[in-house]
Amino acid sequence: MVEEHAPHLDTVFHALGDATRRRMLRDLAQAERTVGQLAEPFAISLAAASKHIKVLENAGMIRREVRGRTHVCRLDPGPLASAHEWLSMYERFWTDRLDALDRLLREEDARNAEKPQGDSHE
Amino acid sequence: MVEEHAPHLDTVFHALGDATRRRMLRDLAQAERTVGQLAEPFAISLAAASKHIKVLENAGMIRREVRGRTHVCRLDPGPLASAHEWLSMYERFWTDRLDALDRLLREEDARNAEKPQGDSHE
DNA sequence: GTGTTCTTCAACCATGTGGTTGAATATGCA
DNA sequence: TGCATATTCAACCACATGGTTGAAGAACAC
């Protein structure tokens, strides 16, 4: 089940890097939606929404079924699971070592705050 | 928890949407690295690597400490945890599917029991 | 001081992205 | 048939992105 999905991570993370598309995913998590329904919350043209949907579709995150003249989209969780799995590689950094690392980082910040370096001469 | 701590997610997911930056994060997961060390695996200029590092830094994913003339970078897991947490909202979509596919996967595993499963997590 | 190393900055370039508008396509309905 | 609905396509625009090169700063070494 662990495949070489790295090439897809580019498109998956890129698709997630836009609030409009994340909102679309949120809506699709409730139920399947047509293109028009997905576009409705936004003050953008249908053509723009269509492009967003295509980005999600190319990333494999939604699947489209053409029913008559409407295109019904539903969530495909696979890429979300891949992204989640990739991030899980770093989970130890905010779980096991959270206390130690966080304490070090905060000490560092405290030191830098007390001892500012490279002040401007002007 | 209600999605609209989202401006941060834009930059975090965007930063993750590039294999060069993901590789840098992977290296930083091993140990702290200077800018030159982070740039070394890539066939790009130092200036280009510096831009990538700045993207990660602006997303809050790395912290920089200037030691003499070298800039030492460390991983900050906070934004990774945020992204992971956001994706976890959708976890039921692939765990539910796991219930449905569980039997199939077990059968698959049984059939492939002797086959090698080379894989990589980038 | 001079020179070398580490890194950023500035200017530039090609391509990508997200948006628009208007036309095209395809379906549903009277 | 004719018309409205749902969606995409094509062309275009402004701006962001990722890359380059060359110069500029700092910090170390001599």
Side-chain angles (χ1 to χ4, degrees), chain B residues 18 42 62 65 75 94 113:
Chain B
D18 184 290
F42 308 105
I62 69 177
E65 181 191 350
L75 192 65
W94 62 82

Side-chain angles (χ1 to χ4, degrees), chain B:
Chain B
M1 300 294 182
V2 201
E3 161 75 16
E4 299 314 331
H5 49 320
H8 199 214
L9 287 177
D10 273 14
T11 55
V12 171
F13 279 127
H14 169 256
L16 291 174
D18 184 290
T20 299
R21 292 191 286 263
R22 289 199 304 278
R23 167 65 185 270
M24 286 178 168
L25 290 177
R26 199 192 71 175
D27 291 347
L28 286 168
Q30 320 272 124
E32 61 182 31
R33 298 286 159 96
T34 69
V35 169
Q37 288 170 332
L38 284 174
E40 187 273 335
F42 308 105
I44 59 176
S45 67
L46 259 166
S50 179
K51 287 185 187 177
H52 280 299
I53 291 167
K54 200 167 298 178
V55 169
L56 292 168
E57 197 178 14
N58 289 339
M61 302 160 90
I62 69 177
R63 299 199 182 196
R64 181 192 308 245
E65 181 191 350
V66 179
R67 286 183 203 158
R69 60 184 162 178
T70 70
H71 295 203
V72 179
C73 303
R74 281 176 283 114
L75 192 65
D76 185 335
L80 290 170
S82 296
H84 191 262
E85 184 191 2
W86 186 89
L87 284 163
S88 295
M89 288 197 308
Y90 298 87
E91 199 159 20
R92 65 183 175 92
F93 285 97
W94 62 82
T95 53
D96 288 357
R97 172 165 288 196
L98 274 184
D99 292 339
L101 292 179
D102 193 42
R103 179 178 46 82
L104 292 173
L105 290 174
R106 267 196 250 272
E107 293 171 0
E108 194 82 12
D109 287 347
R111 275 197 297 275
N112 297 339
E114 301 91 16
K115 295 185 177 178
Q117 307 191 33
D119 67 66
S120 149
H121 274 272
E122 175 174 353

Side-chain angles (χ1 to χ4, degrees), chain A residues 21-42:
Chain A
R21 292 191 286 264
R22 288 199 305 278
R23 166 66 186 270
M24 286 178 169
L25 291 177
R26 199 192 72 175
D27 291 346
L28 287 167
Q30 328 246 186
E32 61 182 29
R33 298 286 159 97
T34 69
V35 169
Q37 287 171 333
L38 284 173
E40 187 273 334
F42 307 104

Side-chain angles (χ1 to χ4, degrees), chain A residues 34-36 47 50 54 64 69 71:
Chain A
T34 69
V35 169
S50 179
K54 200 167 298 179
R64 181 192 309 244
R69 59 184 164 180
H71 296 203

Side-chain angles (χ1 to χ4, degrees), chain A:
Chain A
M1 192 57 186
V2 181
E3 65 223 57
E4 184 44 65
H5 48 239
H8 292 130
L9 285 177
D10 273 13
T11 55
V12 170
F13 279 126
H14 169 256
L16 291 174
D18 183 288
T20 300
R21 292 191 286 264
R22 288 199 305 278
R23 166 66 186 270
M24 286 178 169
L25 291 177
R26 199 192 72 175
D27 291 346
L28 287 167
Q30 328 246 186
E32 61 182 29
R33 298 286 159 97
T34 69
V35 169
Q37 287 171 333
L38 284 173
E40 187 273 334
F42 307 104
I44 59 176
S45 66
L46 259 165
S50 179
K51 285 186 188 177
H52 280 300
I53 292 167
K54 200 167 298 179
V55 169
L56 292 167
E57 197 178 13
N58 289 338
M61 302 159 90
I62 71 179
R63 293 171 55 176
R64 181 192 309 244
E65 180 192 348
V66 179
R67 286 185 203 157
R69 59 184 164 180
T70 71
H71 296 203
V72 178
C73 304
R74 54 187 197 284
L75 193 65
D76 185 336
L80 290 170
S82 294
H84 190 263
E85 184 190 4
W86 186 88
L87 284 163
S88 295
M89 286 196 307
Y90 298 87
E91 201 159 18
R92 63 188 176 93
F93 285 98
W94 66 81
T95 54
D96 298 352
R97 292 165 56 174
L98 180 62
D99 6 330
L101 182 60
D102 195 55
R103 183 174 49 77
L104 288 173
L105 291 172
R106 290 185 197 288
E107 286 176 3
E108 190 79 23
D109 286 348
R111 274 199 299 275
N112 291 341
E114 294 167 8
K115 188 189 64 177
Q117 48 194 14
D119 261 333
S120 74
H121 339 276
E122 165 42 28

